Amino acid sequence: MSNQVIVDADRCKGCGICPSVCPKGCLRIGTEINLQGYEHVEVVPGSVCIACGMCVLACPEPRALTIVKHTEEEKSCTSA
Amino acid sequence: MEQIKTSDVLYEEFFRKDGDKKITHYCPGCGHGTIQKMIAQAIEDLGIQDRVVFLSPVGCSVFSYYYFDTGNIQCSHGRAPAVGTAFKRVHEDSIVISYQGDGDLAGIGTAEIIHAANRGENMSVFFINNATYGMTGGQMAPTTLLEEKTLTSPFGRDRKRDGAPIKMAEMIATLDEPVLVSRVAVSSTKEMLKTKKMIYKALKNQVDNLGFSFVEILSACPTSWHVSPVEARVHIDETLSTVFPLGTFVDKADTVLPYGPSLFPFLSGEDFLVAIVEGGELAECEQAPLKDELAIMVAGFGGQGVLSGGVSLANAAIAHQLQVSWLPSYGPEMRGGKASVTVVMSPDEVSSPLAEDIDCLIALNSPSLTAYEHMVKPSGTILVNSSLIDHEPERDDVTVHHVPASDLAKEAGLPQATALVMISAYIHYSQVLTIDSLIESLHLGLKKKSLIGKNRELILKTVEILVSK
Ligand SMILES: Cc1ncc(C[n+]2csc(CCOP(=O)(O)OP(=O)(O)O)c2C)c(N)n1
Ligand code: SF4
Ligand code: SF4
Ligand code: SF4
């Protein structure tokens, strides 16, 4: 099981910063519009997040992004 | 299962009056949001949330108190370092964070930050340099780049007219006291990681009681810069940081001694009185039989000894174990201008040195009588300097005494003791204090000690005349 990128769409202002810092191309600005009227960010299907945390660090909005990191153990458990 | 998320030091929802509870009020891609998340994380990592007092400035970050679940004070424009100084000195266990923009810190508040830094106040300052006044719509700031077009420099910042961008970190670094002075940027991944560390370090220094830490953070204002959020962060690396070089200018964290209170002794009570009252011991007399506060105003013109007479009265009251305040009011001229002093004496703490109603007015000249007689409480007292005042008070609900104070003082060769004559008379009539205490406190108030004898004689002479009247 890979790391999970959770986007709280209504907390995103679609500024495009997180896609610009993700080393793995996991994020992109989508076409859907959120409650505030912003085209919010979405996870690129099939991308693999390495839980580097750069998107969370760079994003100006509190709680727009959360990364759920799966440890090696958990990974091997689920794959076993 | 580990999570990488926003620190809970920021509220879950923001109770702004108008505005969405889930998002900040910052423009998309604004550097403030990123920096405040980093500060929140450092607060969490250091376990200091319940000690933090976050000082919001005036500027785009004025609403920080909606976000930080800590103590908060919203300060007047540029004054956060002064507010922080007071707060930290009173609450030594607090962690004071002064968060300020470049208009705030490098414009209107330049004096406050320089002096707080120079005193080495034990606080952490985060200086958000976005090279513009964001909140007011993008005017030129002291940090705006040369040739940069802004609302107030429509043809670009001109060095001849507007000066060059001010480099606060370098300026602060010339001072002896700061422990940490650094400039970082919220731009590329690499720089953001350094910024995160530097924010932590500035707070850790305060936790370790090391003194003043100053972190200048180059931060994007995509709105005023008229570029996209991503371009704005690139602009910081490519342009802003060539004018404001990144780096650490001062780091004494490993060598500096922990910040401590002043080495001069902290005096209170009797020791304090003796130390501030130049010239020796306080007279000691019996506790005065006073139940309520008394306010006495002495008013005249410069040269009549109004202020020093007030000091003598205050010292006599202190000798009788009363609490006293002495509040002078005078014009810019040394002599000849209006001068007055209000002395409040009380068996307990003085409620206020500023009295709206007074128990006694000592009027040394005619304008003072006219100006202040309305302030005397019903059944109060007015003492009139009959040498200079030829009309009666209008009030008929007060006791009036006449004393030819200027004549007596002049005869004694001490025109500057006119107020003292009146004060002797006040003590004689009111019987709250004693003439002895006034005489024995003279040495505390008189600058020329050689005149103590003559002043004593004048006081005794005054009383003699009043008794025989
Ligand atoms: C005493 C006073 N003078 C001027 C203003 C107008 N004013 C509000 S914010 C500001 C400058 C803000 O710029 P900065 O400190 O750089 O913060 P930013 O908004 O860019 O984050 C000014 C001049 C004010 N509110 N109060
Ligand atoms: S944690 Fe790293 S890899 Fe994962 S989405 Fe964020 S930036 Fe990309
Ligand atoms: S950085 Fe934050 S606000 Fe900007 S697009 Fe990404 S999630 Fe949205
Ligand atoms: S005007 Fe600039 S500093 Fe102010 S919130 Fe918008 S982007 Fe941020």
Side-chain angles (χ1 to χ4, degrees), chain A residues 13 36 61 63 67 69, chain B residues 2 4 6 11 20 24 26:
Chain A
K13 287 183 181 160
Q36 279 76 38
E61 287 301 313
R63 298 187 177 81
I67 306 297
K69 203 169 159 180
Chain B
E2 207 187 310
I4 303 173
T6 302
Y11 288 114
D20 197 282
T24 66
Y26 298 123

Side-chain angles (χ1 to χ4, degrees), chain B residues 386-406:
Chain B
S386 54
S387 313
L388 296 188
I389 304 175
D390 53 11
H391 62 97
E392 285 298 304
E394 308 232 319
R395 295 281 296 269
D396 55 10
D397 57 344
V398 297
T399 309
V400 180
H401 298 290
H402 296 88
V403 184
S406 299

Side-chain angles (χ1 to χ4, degrees), chain B residues 446-463:
Chain B
L446 280 180
K447 285 206 187 82
K448 277 197 196 146
K449 306 293 175 211
S450 58
L451 291 180
I452 293 174
K454 274 177 108 180
N455 276 276
R456 188 200 299 118
E457 277 165 34
L458 178 58
I459 293 171
L460 292 172
K461 172 103 189 276
T462 304
V463 175

Side-chain angles (χ1 to χ4, degrees), chain A residues 6-9 11-21 27-29 34 38-42 54-65, chain B residues 23 28-29 34 37 229 233:
Chain A
I6 301 168
V7 177
D8 185 338
R11 291 185 183 263
C12 169
K13 287 183 181 160
C15 69
I17 287 171
C18 59
S20 79
V21 299
L27 297 158
R28 68 180 180 206
I29 299 297
N34 69 9
Y38 295 113
E39 288 182 338
H40 63 82
V41 84
E42 60 184 29
M54 283 321 304
C55 54
V56 177
L57 182 70
C59 171
E61 287 301 313
R63 298 187 177 81
L65 294 169
Chain B
I23 52 172
T34 303
K37 279 172 64 190
R233 293 192 179 198

